[in-house]
Amino acid sequence: MYLSIGNHDEEANRAAPYRDVFVLPTNGASSTYPEHSERFYSFDYGPAHVVVLDTELAFQSTTRRQVQLQWLEEDLAATTQAWKIAVFHRSPYSAGGEHQSDLAVRAAFAPIFDRHHVDLVLSGHEHDYERSVPIRETADGGPTTYIVTGGGGAKLYAAASAWWTAASRSAYHYMRGGIDGCRLTIEAIGLDGEAFDSTVIDKCGP
């Protein structure tokens, strides 16, 4: 299990209970901020490189944010994995009526994702499901698919759509995905065990 800190985790003594319970990679820590250990980190799983980011303490503080962004740039530049996936709590693209898009998160992370060709971003915060069309924030960047997956058990919020929305639903669900060579498939699975949305990110072509 690899987790990202959310706002409610942060409310409990700056996520100390969360970090006590789970053992997570510590490669986000630095001499300046050793307490960033387990807040943001990365790991490889098969052909994928996954970065788990912190949209709470290490983002809400502007000085800590710069440290995290520098780490993210260096981490993504160093990987040679075929697939790049990012996971964090506050959603940069969300049409939902409760929180909507976190524009600060979008402004900070999305250009970096473009530059380093991050394929998929998973976030929560909004208690619904929403998948974007592939988005480029910069002209020379790679397309990224953004998925809000916040239907894990808390009270659902109403789903909505915007110019970036490919699919959305107010539904309890979990995500299931897999990589087969140059194709990444991901599905949203509802309470009946069936997929109510799916997409394939295909890099087999030019």
Side-chain angles (χ1 to χ4, degrees):
M1 293 172 60
Y2 295 94
L3 304 96
S4 65
I5 294 175
N7 56 304
H8 296 300
D9 305 308
E10 188 67 28
E11 290 166 2
N13 192 20
R14 290 195 165 179
Y18 162 102
R19 289 181 289 127
D20 286 344
V21 168
F22 299 106
V23 178
L24 301 170
T26 60
N27 57 347
S30 65
S31 57
T32 306
Y33 295 114
E35 67 273 24
H36 284 176
S37 175
E38 298 185 299
R39 282 189 165 272
F40 56 90
Y41 56 88
S42 66
F43 63 93
D44 291 339
Y45 189 84
H49 182 71
V50 182
V51 289
V52 179
L53 303 173
D54 178 22
T55 57
E56 306 313 309
L57 176 65
F59 187 87
Q60 301 304 322
S61 162
T62 54
T63 53
R64 291 175 182 269
R65 181 187 303 177
Q66 290 308 309
V67 171
Q68 182 176 194
L69 294 178
Q70 180 65 32
W71 174 89
L72 177 61
E73 287 269 17
E74 294 172 358
D75 181 86
L76 290 174
T79 186
T80 58
Q81 297 295 90
W83 293 91
K84 298 175 187 176
I85 299 169
V87 180
F88 49 88
H89 187 66
R90 298 178 190 255
S91 300
Y93 288 94
S94 171
E98 186 72 17
H99 297 298
Q100 298 187 324
S101 302
D102 190 310
L103 298 181
V105 169
R106 184 194 299 181
F109 289 155
I112 299 176
F113 296 156
D114 274 19
R115 282 195 294 276
H116 296 284
H117 298 270
V118 171
D119 303 289
L120 176 66
V121 170
L122 302 173
S123 61
H125 204 40
E126 198 79 57
H127 299 179
D128 63 7
Y129 171 82
E130 184 177 357
R131 175 173 58 85
S132 80
V133 298
I135 296 172
R136 284 186 175 91
E137 280 286 339
T138 56
D140 58 349
T144 302
T145 298
Y146 293 82
I147 294 180
V148 179
T149 171
K155 177 183 177 181
L156 292 172
Y157 300 156
S161 61
W163 64 263
W164 60 76
T165 309
S168 65
R169 181 178 292 194
S170 179
Y172 293 114
H173 67 279
Y174 71 94
M175 304 302 301
R176 182 171 65 199
I179 295 171
D180 181 9
C182 52
R183 289 185 175 88
L184 185 155
T185 302
I186 192 161
E187 302 174 307
I189 309 299
L191 293 179
D192 59 0
E194 299 296 324
F196 63 81
D197 184 53
S198 64
T199 191
V200 176
I201 302 174
D202 191 334
K203 298 200 290 188
C204 295

